[in-house]
Amino acid sequence: MAEEQQIESRKAVTGVVWASVDQFTTMGLQFISNLILARLLLPSDYGAVAMLSIFLVVSNTLIDGGFGNALIQKKNPSQADYSTIFFWNLALSSFLYAILFIFAPLIARFYDLPELCNVLRINGTILIINSFLLIPNNRLRKQFAFKKLAIVNISSYIIAAGLAIWMAKSGFGVYALVAMHLAGGSFAAIFLFIVARWVPSLTFSIDSFRKLFSFGGYMLAASLLQDICKNLQNLIIGKHYNSTQLGLYAQAQKLDQIPSYTLPQILVKVMFPLYSSMQDNKAKMGSVLMMNMRIIALWIFPLMSVLIIGSKSIFLLLYGQRWLDAVPYFQILCVGGFFVCLQNVTFYAVAAVGKSRALFAWSWVKWLTLFALLMIGMNLSMKGLLWCMVLSNVNIFFINVYLSGKHVNTGILPLMTNLLPTIFCTATAWASTQLIATIASDNDIILCISFLIVYVSTAILFKLKGVKESGIIINKLLHRN
């Protein structure tokens, strides 16, 4: 038993190493390429792509169908399981692309932008490309082969970003962003099949499909509601305002997602298969879940605060004068980021114990609340709309905490009090920074440095558990123990 735990620990540590390499390298490449593209393209180009995101995201969710998570959650999926889902995805993606191709003119007319018809028809082919990615990607994740995934993701993104930058410089406009999506997906699919060394069998098992759908079906419904509502604001902003406003919002959201979503996702990628392996030991899973929440909060809470304080200087430095109108949008999104960063780590703990039905049932509460808030916000202003999205993120966070507290047997109160020390340190540093801004200096750099000094000092003074745990994990990562 002890030997099995050591093997699990080594797999998790190695997984975190390579998931971190993957996430940080890809994030760095995305960041650099986006800086270059933002200076070559207009906000309206980004807005045009964002207008179509809801249609592509929903289609991709239907293609996955929750089967990706079902294959990871299942302890020993068979070749028949993998092959069945592969052919299902391929057939469904072709069908959905045909629908988008037919309705592309109507969608373009809805936004009153004729060019969107061709953009959607070309960009829509990513659905078929992505259908090839799911099985080899999930097989590698199931095997904790995060090194291979990192090499694939980094290589494919370098090629895609290089092509997009060349096209942007050559005056292709919005099609540079389209090309980046298609090239990234195409090369990732090719590389994944090579490294996964997997070929589907010519079989389709109704029994496999039915068993996987019993879990994946609820995950599909939950994810579908989530993706529709999370991208509904793009449709509202694009229709109610204009493509430039949507482009400004999209750029603010892209930068906000790095700390609030991308960084925590490093742990989430590794933790879902690891949680699944612990599904029969809820006490152990609950302990790991609480540690993950402490570590994420320890690092992300101060990062979000610093980004809010220095947002104007950051946008001016990174994107230039033309993007400064996105600053207030970015600041509001960062407030929501305090809650977004912890959503998935609790969500997948519930999924790992097989409670997809509960996730589906509560997703109605989450997304109907978001829909109601968006309807209110769109009649206020752009900022009003974004503040309503923040309220939705708060609601989603508390629902996920409730579900994980209930189904992982950790209890709701322990999960919440688990975060109080980090919240206290963040609030103390924020109050000190505001005091400095009032009586001494409102320089962004000075305020950011002041915040970090106070935060680190209070975290060490009060001996936050996350500090010690982060040190242990960093030590293990450095020594690959």
Side-chain angles (χ1 to χ4, degrees), residues 419-437:
L419 299 173
L420 287 179
T422 310
I423 294 172
F424 172 78
C425 292
T426 306
T428 301
W430 184 269
S432 301
T433 304
Q434 297 308 304
L435 182 63
I436 292 170

Side-chain angles (χ1 to χ4, degrees), residues 276-319:
S276 297
S277 71
M278 298 178 184
Q279 58 188 275
D280 297 325
N281 189 346
K282 290 185 180 178
K284 182 179 178 183
M285 187 191 296
S287 176
V288 173
L289 170 61
M290 293 178 76
M291 181 185 72
N292 290 338
M293 291 180 70
R294 286 193 296 269
I295 292 173
I296 289 173
L298 177 76
W299 293 93
I300 302 302
F301 283 14
L303 181 55
M304 301 305 305
S305 302
V306 167
L307 288 174
I308 293 172
I309 294 168
S311 54
K312 185 174 181 180
S313 297
I314 291 170
F315 265 79
L316 193 60
L317 174 66
L318 297 180
Y319 304 117

Side-chain angles (χ1 to χ4, degrees), residues 53-70:
S53 63
I54 188 170
F55 304 103
L56 296 177
V57 167
V58 168
S59 298
N60 271 319
T61 302
L62 286 170
I63 293 166
D64 183 299
F67 291 118
N69 290 324

